[in-house]
Amino acid sequence: MSGDRKIVVMKFGGTSVESAASIGRTAEIVEGRRARGLTPVVVVSAMAKVTDQLLAAAAAAERGDRNGALAISSRLRNRHLDTAAALLTDAPAANTRAWMEEQFQALDDLLRGLAAVQELTPRTMDLVASYGERLSSWMIGEYYGQCGLNGIHIDARSCIVTDAEHGKATPLEGKIEHALRRSMLPILDDGRVPVIGGFIGATENGVTTTLGRGGSDYTGALIGRGLNAHAIEIWTDVNGIMTTDPRVCPDALRVKTISFEEAAELAYFGAKVLHPATILPAVQKNIPVWVLNSRDPANRGTQITALAAHSRTPFKSIAIKRRLTIIDVVASRMLMSHGYLKAIFDVFDRHKCAVDMVSTSEVSVSLTVDSNERLPAIAAELSQLADVKYEGRKALVCMVGQNIRGQHGIAAQVFAAIRHVNVRMISQGASEINMSFMIEEDDVEEAVQSLHRHFFQDPDPEIFDVTARESLAGITAGVTARVEKG
Ligand code: ADP
Ligand code: ASP
Ligand code: MG
């Protein structure tokens, strides 16, 4: 469909567009792709933390705290106006200022209305949350127009068509493809760079929806699939997919290549670097996905492809999912009788609550879910079937790697490395490439650091970027030598 054109979808996350300086860096990165003969389509998130703040404003309004809500909106207004003023000059600056003032007036009206009725529906929450990406994408589109990239803003709600499941809408593939062809291709034919907000979409009737938190990655993948892109690039604030969250292990290493299958497991089990839905659209069209660092664009990042090299080490990365709850359903009799598990799962289904892990014994079933406000209602329904108790503040640690398949003794190594930690549930085998267990949230850092030390002490340089560690070792050796000399 794209002919000779090689489309690269470039998604910049919140930290990559958090200030005028970082937006300036994205323009240089996009220009670099154009210089290589690629055709960029740019997807942007809201500026860092803006979505959280918009949701906090909506929550304040719902509590009736009108002034609190308006104060948040006023801070957001100043931040956006200041950033636009730093980026833009002349007519684009004046246009953007006027347009932003209008947007913030509409947002304030909305917040006042919410505070008056003290009611917040998922539909209204989506509308409030959508301002983040609407503002950032407009501003960045104007900036790309001014800085020589020939940029043009496109409202995501004109092409990301979804169902009406507010808060986590499902994209409608055929309709999106049709809309993308209609709105994007002529722009690309004109040699322009479209800039579109991630995360947001609209129903066929034009009602604003969102794809779920972190959903801009997903937008990038949907556009990549819809336009048959040559590559999808997820630009973020770390060097790629790392051996674990660098906030937990600062010595985490960059994984050079990883398979779609491995990346999907990691994303699903909590590695925030990639939204879990991102992989599927890319797999369907076999489009390689890259995770790259907008603060260090020369770094090669992580390539996610259908077939990635196997590592010597059993695992490629360790994901962490926090804020989980374990639910124990304990029956005195009849537990494994026909239809019992179905009855339990039907309760979760009715509440649209996804279950992450399950384990059963003769008399009990334990399940884990994201902690959420529906738990009391779920527990009340389950208690009609059996005794129920639930406990929050749990975390899941998920170790992923194709090399787990057929290797002996790995579980023994994992549990030896965390022998001081109380493990509540264990799962292995479902995908053959992950091994997961559930622990107390307070034990997560210690457990992951200990596993990371054990499994990544001798990393395979084919798969992992060991240069950072080598230079660190060099510095340490230098310091030691100096100390010895002194
Ligand atoms: P963006 O705003 O660019 O979408 P996110 O905050 O959603 O960025 O994702 C990037 C963050 O994901 C990193 O700063 C890092 O703390 C976290 N993270 C968690 N697990 C991993 C991992 N395995 N590799 C890299 N980053 C990870
Ligand atoms: N801005 C949205 C969020 O914070 C979407 C994203 O950044 O991917 O969840
Ligand atoms: Mg993200």
Side-chain angles (χ1 to χ4, degrees):
M1 169 166 86
S2 50
D4 291 341
R5 198 163 38 204
K6 285 190 174 159
I7 293 177
V8 53
V9 177
M10 307 176 74
K11 178 261 169 177
F12 293 98
T15 43
S16 303
V17 296
E18 69 186 350
S19 62
S22 40
I23 293 171
R25 273 199 298 274
T26 67
E28 285 167 27
I29 296 170
V30 173
E31 185 50 49
R33 292 296 180 263
R34 293 225 295 178
R36 287 190 203 168
L38 297 166
T39 302
V41 173
V42 174
V43 178
V44 294
S45 288
M47 296 174 81
K49 306 218 164 61
V50 167
T51 310
D52 286 339
Q53 287 160 5
L54 286 164
L55 293 174
E62 186 189 20
R63 289 194 303 274
D65 179 6
R66 179 172 174 272
N67 292 342
L70 294 176
I72 298 176
S73 162
S74 158
R75 284 197 292 276
L76 288 172
R77 174 180 168 275
N78 291 341
R79 179 171 172 200
H80 284 89
L81 287 174
D82 288 351
T83 311
L87 285 171
L88 301 168
T89 53
D90 306 327
N95 279 346
T96 300
R97 187 175 185 91
W99 179 84
M100 281 184 177
E101 294 287 11
E102 258 173 45
Q103 302 308 305
F104 279 102
Q105 260 175 32
L107 175 61
D108 286 353
D109 286 345
L110 187 57
L111 293 171
R112 281 190 204 98
L114 287 173
V117 295
Q118 296 194 21
E119 188 186 270
L120 179 62
T121 61
R123 174 173 163 157
T124 313
M125 201 133 84
D126 273 355
L127 185 58
V128 173
S130 73
Y131 277 89
E133 271 71 9
R134 280 154 66 189
L135 288 156
S136 65
S137 60
W138 170 288
M139 175 168 65
I140 294 166
E142 288 289 303
Y143 176 61
Y144 285 8
Q146 189 180 284
C147 74
L149 277 175
N150 216 351
I152 178 170
H153 172 250
I154 293 187
D155 192 325
R157 294 170 299 173
S158 68
C159 28
I160 304 298
V161 190
T162 72
D163 69 5
E165 189 63 50
H166 288 283
K168 205 174 186 171
T170 303
L172 306 178
E173 185 183 344
K175 300 229 155 53
I176 292 176
E177 193 170 322
H178 180 75
L180 284 172
R181 279 170 192 257
R182 202 191 49 225
S183 63
M184 291 265 183
L185 292 183
I187 287 176
L188 299 179
D189 287 340
D190 286 347
R192 307 196 69 175
V193 176
V195 179
I196 182 169
F199 175 57
I200 61 177
T203 64
E204 285 180 85
N205 298 328
V207 179
T208 302
T209 55
T210 65
L211 303 175
R213 294 305 306 269
S216 295
D217 299 339
Y218 193 15
T219 306
L222 293 169
I223 294 178
R225 175 173 67 188
L227 294 176
N228 255 333
H230 171 72
I232 297 167
E233 297 180 345
I234 306 291
W235 290 88
T236 183
D237 61 351
V238 284
N239 279 342
I241 295 184
M242 314 288 282
T243 45
T244 191
D245 188 342
R247 282 184 235 189
V248 174
C249 289
D251 62 342
L253 301 167
R254 172 172 64 93
V255 183
K256 293 180 185 169
T257 70
I258 198 163
S259 68
F260 282 132
E261 214 185 348
E262 290 168 321
E265 291 282 328
L266 281 174
Y268 181 78
F269 285 107
K272 195 189 167 211
V273 65
L274 211 58
H275 183 278
T278 313
I279 299 296
L280 186 65
V283 171
Q284 287 168 337
K285 291 257 174 97
N286 201 11
I287 305 170
V289 178
W290 293 83
V291 180
L292 296 153
N293 189 351
S294 68
R295 293 173 181 168
D296 183 10
N299 192 295
R300 302 176 69 88
T302 299
Q303 187 185 17
I304 312 172
T305 53
L307 290 174
H310 281 248
S311 58
R312 257 197 288 114
T313 32
F315 301 110
K316 283 205 183 143
S317 185
I318 309 172
I320 305 163
K321 195 168 186 176
R322 292 184 171 85
R323 282 179 291 283
L324 298 180
T325 293
I326 294 188
I327 305 177
D328 292 315
V329 185
V330 185
S332 47
R333 64 202 154 85
M334 303 267 294
L335 180 73
M336 286 309 157
S337 69
H338 175 75
Y340 187 79
L341 284 176
K342 178 176 183 306
I344 292 179
F345 280 106
D346 281 348
V347 173
F348 289 93
D349 191 39
R350 274 197 293 281
H351 289 272
K352 297 201 173 112
C353 178
V355 173
D356 284 319
M357 200 190 265
V358 187
S359 86
T360 61
S361 79
E362 193 206 345
V363 291
S364 63
V365 183
S366 297
L367 309 104
T368 68
V369 297
D370 280 350
S371 302
N372 66 60
E373 67 282 0
R374 289 184 180 148
L375 281 173
I378 293 173
E381 273 192 50
L382 287 172
S383 63
Q384 290 164 12
L385 302 167
D387 290 338
V388 179
K389 49 182 197 324
Y390 61 97
E391 217 183 296
R393 294 190 51 76
K394 302 287 175 281
L396 183 90
V397 176
C398 173
M399 321 208 22
V400 172
Q402 275 162 349
N403 265 13
I404 311 177
R405 278 186 186 128
Q407 284 208 24
H408 297 287
I410 292 181
Q413 286 182 50
V414 168
F415 293 109
I418 54 159
R419 61 185 161 277
H420 303 301
V421 173
N422 177 24
V423 176
R424 293 288 304 267
M425 280 168 78
I426 301 171
S427 155
Q428 199 220 327
S431 75
E432 287 197 328
I433 64 165
N434 97 44
M435 188 180 284
S436 345
F437 54 87
M438 191 66 87
I439 57 180
E440 298 297 326
E441 213 170 76
D442 289 343
D443 292 336
V444 144
E445 307 236 329
E446 187 197 328
V448 171
Q449 285 160 2
S450 162
L451 288 165
H452 195 265
R453 255 193 315 276
H454 181 84
F455 286 103
F456 297 102
Q457 61 187 347
D458 178 24
D460 180 346
E462 287 282 303
I463 305 293
F464 304 103
D465 176 11
V466 294
T467 51
R469 191 172 282 181
E470 278 165 0
S471 56
L472 197 67
I475 294 166
T476 320
V479 170
T480 316
R482 276 199 300 279
V483 169
E484 279 168 1
K485 263 169 126 185

